[in-house]
Amino acid sequence: MDFGDGMETFDKSFTQQEPIPEEGVAAALEVLRHGRLHRYNTVGDEVCETALLEEGFAATVGSAYCLAVASGGYAMGCVLRALGVGPGDKVLTNAFTLAPVPGAIASVGADPVFVETTENLTIDPDDLSKRARSSGSSVLMLSHMRGHIADMEALAGLCRDIGVTLVEDCAHTMGAAWNGVPSGRWGIAGCFSTQTYKHVNSGEGGLIVTDDAGLMARMVLLSGSYMMYPRHRAAPPPEAYEDVKWITPNVSGRMDNLRAAILRPQIERLPANVSCWNALYRSVEVELAGSNGVALSHRPEAEEFVGSSFQFRLPDRSASEIEGVVASAAERGIELKWFGAPEPRGFTSTHASWRYAPPQELPRTDRVLSTLLDLRLPLTFTVDDASRIGRILREVCRGGAGGGH
Ligand SMILES: *Cc1c(COP(=O)(O)O)cnc(C)c1O
């Protein structure tokens, strides 16, 4: 788009991923040529791509075990089911999260209990204690939504103190850490997504990590291992399955070798990609820092985040003013998502749109989300692109050049 007046615009897609690395393409072709896509279809002592992916990812995060599954949502549901969460149970989770999180809770028949969000987009610990007590829930599905990580020492300590089992939803924190401990390693299990819009891309897919042998044995069986579980590598020895193999249902949700083949080189590249994402993030941040009326997230020293998306708030603006900002940004090629819209749009829904869950009062979250804007930073952007996005946003947010349409 050309405004013909020297005003900057942007024309790249906010949803364009990088290509799959050539090693991944080659490995995928090999799987296609030999035809053994199912993880348990191996010849001789062949080790399948899926088992190698699990072994590699467990080593990356330092967990004893890893299970590759069909999606991030399946990963969360599988952990909950393996923990014994069932119909009528309550599961605590962030009020600010994405639809698959309450969906995974509902998939085992449980009810989500939403916990308030701070202005820094992390879970509110006081509200967590309060709602744990009032609901009687003993499980927290902690969603590191948009990559914002709470003080994990404090939160894990609080969960221990109040008798709540911590499970992490790391869909936006693959490759991140708090104080040197990888995200996904703070509770009993960590769930990851390998869906196209996350930090590695196999179209669909999920990974679960844990150090708990009994939990992993139940999850391997749940995922649909039949009696093939001895072929897993990042899993406990066959003895761990003896008692549970008779009583654990098969809820098929395996990953296949084709997806694992394209994921393995991406897991190796993750640290380098994290640096690229953070360079993009910092380039937007530097342009917006100090802008009047723009509230940026505080990122603590201990938070080793992955800046694959960027959030900011316009706390003094009304709903119609924010709609104006979104529209002005769109005219100049910047795709902003607003979490305050009354109707869910695209990927952006809120607790109020999940009406299968009991209605809950979340005034603090509503206030935060009503002025929260979000944009993606795919790796197909350069640092110059990110700076340009930051400059355009600074202008549309002050309602100056280009903001007045
Ligand atoms: C994407 C996502 C998931 C998992 O999604 P799948 O599409 O099922 O892989 C979980 N939590 C959050 C916050 C997400 O954004």
Side-chain angles (χ1 to χ4, degrees):
M1 215 179 308
D2 185 6
F3 284 76
D5 52 4
M7 192 158 54
E8 282 189 296
T9 59
F10 189 72
D11 59 9
K12 285 195 184 175
S13 163
F14 281 76
T15 50
Q16 179 58 56
Q17 278 67 31
E18 288 195 300
I20 302 301
E22 281 307 320
E23 313 94 273
V25 173
L29 284 176
E30 195 171 324
V31 171
L32 289 174
R33 291 198 172 107
H34 68 52
R36 294 184 296 281
L37 274 74
H38 193 285
R39 68 170 297 165
Y40 299 120
N41 184 9
T42 52
V43 284
D45 53 10
E46 177 188 8
V47 180
C48 72
E49 288 282 347
T50 310
L52 291 171
L53 169 69
E54 291 165 343
E55 203 171 43
F57 193 65
T60 301
V61 300
S63 66
Y65 311 120
C66 176
L67 177 66
V69 294
S71 71
Y74 183 91
M76 293 183 283
C78 185
V79 172
L80 293 174
R81 199 185 292 269
L83 285 172
V85 176
D89 289 342
K90 310 253 186 252
V91 176
L92 298 151
T93 194
N94 306 54
F96 175 46
T97 188
L98 207 77
V101 181
I105 295 169
S107 79
V108 296
D111 289 325
V113 176
F114 297 116
V115 180
E116 291 273 35
T117 305
T118 67
E119 285 62 26
N120 224 24
L121 308 181
T122 56
I123 200 162
D124 173 344
D126 296 330
D127 194 56
L128 173 63
S129 303
K130 214 174 81 195
R131 297 199 195 225
R133 213 176 317 116
S134 60
S135 67
S137 170
S138 59
V139 178
L140 167 63
M141 178 61 74
L142 176 67
S143 190
H144 303 294
M145 179 62 170
R146 288 294 185 264
H148 295 269
I149 306 176
D151 177 336
M152 291 306 295
E153 271 102 10
L155 192 69
L158 173 61
C159 287
R160 268 191 302 277
D161 291 347
I162 62 177
V164 163
T165 300
L166 171 62
V167 181
E168 291 177 83
D169 162 29
C170 306
H172 302 167
T173 54
M174 181 185 275
W178 176 270
N179 242 343
V181 176
S183 191
R185 301 288 296 134
W186 288 89
I188 191 162
C191 304
F192 297 82
S193 171
T194 67
Q195 187 240 75
T196 293
Y197 299 102
K198 314 301 163 99
H199 296 173
V200 290
N201 173 15
S202 60
E204 305 287 353
L207 293 162
I208 309 169
V209 299
T210 183
D211 289 343
D212 188 306
L215 183 71
M216 185 47 84
R218 294 193 293 281
M219 294 193 296
V220 168
L221 292 165
L222 280 170
S223 74
S225 69
Y226 304 96
M227 295 302 144
M228 251 64 101
Y229 49 77
R231 299 211 208 149
H232 284 246
R233 291 161 78 91
E239 306 84 85
Y241 300 80
E242 265 322 302
D243 296 338
V244 286
K245 71 182 182 190
W246 307 102
I247 53 168
T248 307
N250 178 325
V251 186
S252 283
R254 294 171 301 270
M255 183 180 279
D256 58 85
N257 289 330
L258 191 54
R259 293 181 201 185
I262 66 174
L263 286 172
R264 286 177 59 212
Q266 296 183 57
I267 299 290
E268 276 169 35
R269 281 174 189 219
L270 192 56
N273 283 348
V274 170
S275 305
C276 294
W277 265 309
N278 290 351
L280 299 179
Y281 184 97
R282 294 300 187 193
S283 302
V284 177
E285 187 181 48
V286 106
E287 296 294 339
L288 277 179
S291 292
N292 256 345
V294 178
L296 299 180
S297 306
H298 167 62
R299 314 278 349 207
E301 187 89 30
E303 187 196 25
E304 299 154 54
F305 65 97
V306 182
S308 55
S309 67
F310 192 95
Q311 293 71 42
F312 60 97
R313 289 182 302 116
L314 301 174
D316 311 326
R317 302 295 184 90
S318 69
S320 64
E321 285 171 329
I322 291 181
E323 275 175 341
V325 167
V326 172
S328 307
E331 276 181 53
R332 296 177 64 177
I334 310 286
E335 210 179 290
L336 290 177
K337 301 275 182 247
W338 176 40
F339 282 94
E343 288 274 330
R345 255 180 240 155
F347 292 104
T348 318
S349 61
T350 70
H351 69 90
S353 29
W354 306 322
R355 294 188 192 164
Y356 53 83
Q360 293 160 58
E361 294 293 316
L362 293 143
R364 188 177 185 185
T365 302
D366 292 342
R367 203 170 344 106
V368 170
L369 297 189
S370 69
T371 62
L372 179 64
L373 294 166
D374 175 79
L375 67 143
R376 295 172 188 281
L377 295 171
L379 289 179
T380 45
F381 289 0
T382 64
V383 166
D384 286 345
D385 291 336
S387 301
R388 173 182 286 245
I389 291 167
R391 286 192 301 272
I392 295 172
L393 287 178
R394 191 173 61 204
E395 289 174 10
V396 300
C397 288
R398 78 165 165 243
H405 314 262

